[in-house]
Amino acid sequence: MRIDSVRFACSVFRPEDAPEGSDRDVIFVGRSNVGKSSLINRLVGKSGIARVSSTPGRTQSVNFVRVNEAFHLVDFPGYGYARVPEEIRRSWKHLVDGVLEARRRRIVLAVMVMDARHPPSDLDHAMRAWLVENGLPYVVVATKADKIGAGSRTRTAGSLADELSDGGKGHGPAVLLASGKTGLGMREIWKHLERALERPKAAGRRGESWISGS
Ligand code: GTP
Ligand code: MG
């Protein structure tokens, strides 16, 4: 895809403040610190557009990056960071759930970001189940692949796909290896984004469990 423009659209702290208009969303969800914001920066080729931090739990708002004045890349706050007070965790849940629900019909693709070195957590499984239940296509991006040897990358992607399949029934999701550091995998991810953005919106009906890219 040719990127003509990229701009930070807004940070949303309350579901009702999500941007108006009919833009489509590609959302980036996953555990805290897995590299969601870094991935977005790498995809658009602008290092400062989404805020990156070595402190887990840094992204506390939902951040909308507008591309080509046509669609959003949406950076969600990470889940599963244990050292967060219960009260803050609850307000994150309210925000994340509220934005997901408010944007459900605009989401053309969810990018589930995982650390290539770690198996899926319970929250990853819960997120995947929600996406499937809502008929939303998703792709898994296993990032920080620069931290594992080139020889074991294919195996890593395969075992993540197996672990994320429905108890071994059917195919697991597409798992793409990536690195926000080296740029590995960006072209492949863009291909999935392009395909998703071309798809007619009506394809995602509630309760339907189709999965893209498999
Ligand atoms: P939250 O906003 O807290 O949910 O985190 P996040 O998922 O947005 O992660 P972020 O992009 O802020 O990155 C977290 C840390 O991991 C930072 O120190 C990044 O520099 C590092 N990091 C991110 N992606 C990669 C990668 O592909 N390779 C390596 N080696 N480090 C990475
Ligand atoms: Mg972040």
Side-chain angles (χ1 to χ4, degrees):
M1 171 172 313
R2 206 180 109 184
I3 302 178
D4 294 318
S5 68
V6 182
R7 69 181 173 86
F8 184 81
C10 56
S11 287
V12 166
F13 292 88
R14 298 181 313 168
E16 56 271 35
D17 294 336
E20 302 281 328
S22 58
D23 282 357
R24 291 157 184 229
D25 293 345
V26 175
I27 63 168
F28 291 74
V29 292
R31 283 173 90 163
S32 186
N33 207 44
V34 290
K36 298 174 292 299
S37 304
S38 305
L39 182 63
I40 290 175
N41 288 336
R42 205 21 123 145
L43 282 169
V44 300
K46 281 197 178 182
S47 62
I49 207 114
R51 193 160 171 207
V52 172
S53 170
S54 53
T55 315
R58 177 57 59 193
T59 308
Q60 299 196 4
S61 50
V62 181
N63 298 308
F64 288 79
V65 174
R66 197 158 184 230
V67 182
N68 292 352
E69 299 298 325
F71 63 94
H72 296 116
L73 302 182
V74 188
D75 189 15
F76 272 77
Y79 46 71
Y81 178 53
R83 280 170 33 211
V84 165
E86 185 53 35
E87 197 185 319
I88 294 183
R89 201 178 327 201
R90 233 178 294 133
S91 81
W92 283 6
K93 187 170 160 35
H94 172 76
L95 175 67
V96 170
D97 287 354
V99 174
L100 284 176
E101 189 50 40
R103 308 292 292 185
R104 196 162 49 84
R105 290 178 195 287
R106 298 173 194 228
I107 299 171
V108 293
L109 183 70
V111 178
M112 269 192 68
V113 186
M114 298 183 44
D115 187 319
R117 299 165 299 172
H118 302 306
S121 69
D122 289 350
L123 289 171
D124 289 324
H125 285 297
M127 175 55 75
R128 195 193 72 87
W130 185 86
L131 294 170
V132 171
E133 221 170 82
N134 283 280
L136 295 173
Y138 71 97
V139 65
V140 175
V141 170
T143 193
K144 304 198 185 186
D146 56 286
K147 294 200 180 209
I148 54 174
S152 48
R153 285 181 194 158
T154 311
R155 188 158 22 92
T156 302
S159 55
L160 274 178
D162 285 348
E163 285 169 280
L164 288 164
S165 66
D166 284 314
K169 283 179 277 159
H171 297 291
V175 176
L176 311 175
L177 286 160
S179 167
K181 202 151 241 179
T182 67
L184 175 82
M186 296 306 130
R187 196 175 305 181
E188 198 59 30
I189 299 171
W190 268 117
K191 272 193 214 156
H192 279 75
L193 265 55
E194 274 164 23
R195 232 176 287 150
L197 288 158
E198 279 164 9
R199 253 188 318 250
K201 256 187 200 168
R205 286 200 306 274
R206 193 177 188 109
E208 207 180 275
S209 63
W210 56 277
I211 292 163
S212 80
S214 53

